[in-house]
Amino acid sequence: MLALAPLLADKVPDWIPDLLREPTWLRPLTQAVREFVMDHQTGGLFFVIFLEELGVPLPAPGDVAIAYGGYLTTTGAIPYPMAYLAVVGGAVLGSACNLTITRRYGRPFVQRFGRYIGVTDDRLLRAEGIFRRWGPWAIILGRHIPGMRIVLSALSGILGIPYKVFIPCVLVSASIWAAIFLELGRRLGPRVRDLFQLFPAHLVPWIVLGLILLVIGYLAYEHGFKPKDHRKPVQERH
């Protein structure tokens, strides 16, 4: 994949259509992410990746932040080893926190509200079967599918994947991920800023999730959280 970086570097400014460009109202937020990484350098890169892995929706994808960090290594703003460790450390720590939260609250949430969004016990059993069949590869390779890193962390927590399996898998996957996008940023050079102008498609699932949560909240209120009158009827005296 690293061999494709020069090809991508030559084509990125040309094949970005206008439809993929970010909306005007989002540009100050994406600019803020870029400036945050620039101002805080290694710590900023670590914090951005940590927040994304934790599940916080950011106005710019972590891939773009890493690529920008790769460009900054060519200017001397960030030493390459520190940028690499920041990405890997942020990914491992953020995903571990995500796993911890979903191990505690994920399963009860799915059991109570999963039927409203089509997440049934049968589907969880199928997902568990995939994890058992593919083992660590399900996490290592799955995290390289766009949009699946945070989902896999949450799913691993819901399914109770042990830390001793999950953490090494994330470490291996994040090490490859960091190398790819840091190198891509180094090859793109200043043109890496153009990636911040892409529409952040990773936010679409969060928008959909927000709408689903609103529906769940309404349905839960209508069917589960309305206060009920538990007073026993008064018996008539004879």
Side-chain angles (χ1 to χ4, degrees):
M1 294 184 70
L2 291 177
L4 296 176
L7 180 62
L8 292 174
D10 293 334
K11 292 188 175 182
V12 165
D14 300 324
W15 55 251
I16 298 178
D18 292 336
L19 290 176
L20 291 180
R21 293 195 178 276
E22 63 181 355
T24 305
W25 61 266
L26 195 60
R27 290 177 186 173
L29 297 177
T30 56
Q31 178 73 8
V33 172
R34 185 166 67 86
E35 291 179 355
F36 183 77
V37 175
M38 181 64 184
D39 294 341
H40 297 84
Q41 302 168 2
T42 304
L45 187 57
F46 170 87
F47 197 60
V48 167
I49 301 304
F50 171 81
L51 287 179
E52 186 185 55
E53 290 284 353
L54 189 59
V56 177
L58 299 177
D63 302 339
V64 174
I66 297 171
Y68 186 65
Y71 160 65
L72 292 180
T73 64
T74 65
T75 67
I78 304 177
Y80 185 90
M82 296 302 295
Y84 186 83
L85 290 176
V87 174
V88 175
V92 171
L93 185 58
S95 61
C97 291
N98 189 329
L99 181 78
T100 300
I101 294 171
T102 50
R103 279 172 70 94
R104 176 66 178 85
Y105 301 105
R107 194 81 181 203
F109 179 85
V110 169
Q111 288 175 343
R112 181 155 192 170
F113 302 114
R115 63 181 181 275
Y116 297 123
I117 56 176
V119 180
T120 62
D121 289 337
D122 290 340
R123 292 189 177 181
L124 287 179
L125 287 174
R126 274 189 236 127
E128 189 173 5
I130 293 175
F131 271 80
R132 288 181 177 178
R133 179 179 179 183
W134 292 96
W137 293 109
I139 300 174
I140 295 173
L141 298 179
R143 285 177 57 85
H144 291 279
I145 300 174
M148 288 300 295
R149 283 183 293 110
I150 291 84
V151 172
L152 279 173
S153 296
L155 187 59
S156 297
I158 293 172
L159 297 178
I161 302 299
Y163 287 96
K164 64 182 180 180
V165 174
F166 180 79
I167 298 299
C169 290
V170 174
L171 181 60
V172 172
S173 180
S175 299
I176 300 171
W177 179 50
I180 291 172
F181 283 94
L182 285 173
E183 185 62 24
L184 179 61
R186 290 171 63 86
R187 300 297 179 90
L188 285 174
R191 287 175 292 178
V192 75
R193 298 188 185 95
D194 294 335
L195 296 178
F196 282 93
Q197 299 177 10
L198 286 172
F199 178 78
H202 71 293
L203 290 182
V204 173
W206 288 105
I207 295 173
V208 174
L209 179 61
L211 294 175
I212 290 174
L213 289 177
L214 286 176
V215 173
I216 289 176
Y218 172 76
L219 293 175
Y221 174 78
E222 287 294 321
H223 300 286
F225 291 123
K226 276 189 173 182
K228 297 180 180 179
D229 190 356
H230 296 288
R231 292 176 299 178
K232 296 182 180 179
V234 179
Q235 297 181 352
E236 296 181 0
R237 295 181 181 180
H238 297 285

